[in-house]
Amino acid sequence: MGKVERTIVRNLEEMSTLYLEVVNESFMHAVPKHSETHFKVVVVSDEFEGLRLVNRHKMIYGLLSEQL
């Protein structure tokens, strides 16, 4: 796990997560080997209860604002 991936996980753990998956998909893009530029994030949390999808995304983007 690289530095950026660790930071993403640490920031998302600020939420009360039931499930968290962070996958570095940079290798599938035209970037140098061992890059940390493209991630897939799957988060399940009770904090999303009653929120529309766009508001769930905003919550995640807020936690990851420095990485984005």
Side-chain angles (χ1 to χ4, degrees), residues 6-27:
R6 281 192 305 273
T7 301
I8 290 171
V9 169
R10 186 173 53 248
N11 288 351
L12 292 177
E13 286 177 339
E14 290 180 20
M15 296 180 64
S16 173
T17 58
L18 301 171
Y19 178 81
L20 175 60
E21 179 181 10
V22 178
V23 180
N24 184 348
E25 294 186 339
S26 301
F27 70 93

Side-chain angles (χ1 to χ4, degrees), residues 15-68:
M15 296 180 64
S16 173
T17 58
L18 301 171
Y19 178 81
L20 175 60
E21 179 181 10
V22 178
V23 180
N24 184 348
E25 294 186 339
S26 301
F27 70 93
M28 298 180 346
H29 301 271
V31 296
K33 194 173 185 174
H34 305 296
S35 290
E36 292 187 274
T37 56
H38 296 78
F39 291 89
K40 176 176 89 171
V41 175
V42 179
V43 181
V44 178
S45 174
D46 288 334
E47 293 183 40
F48 292 144
E49 187 73 30
L51 294 179
R52 298 181 69 170
L53 184 59
V54 68
N55 292 327
R56 295 174 187 193
H57 284 172
K58 286 180 180 181
M59 182 183 287
I60 298 299
Y61 293 155
L63 291 170
L64 301 178
S65 61
E66 289 185 31
Q67 287 70 46
L68 299 175

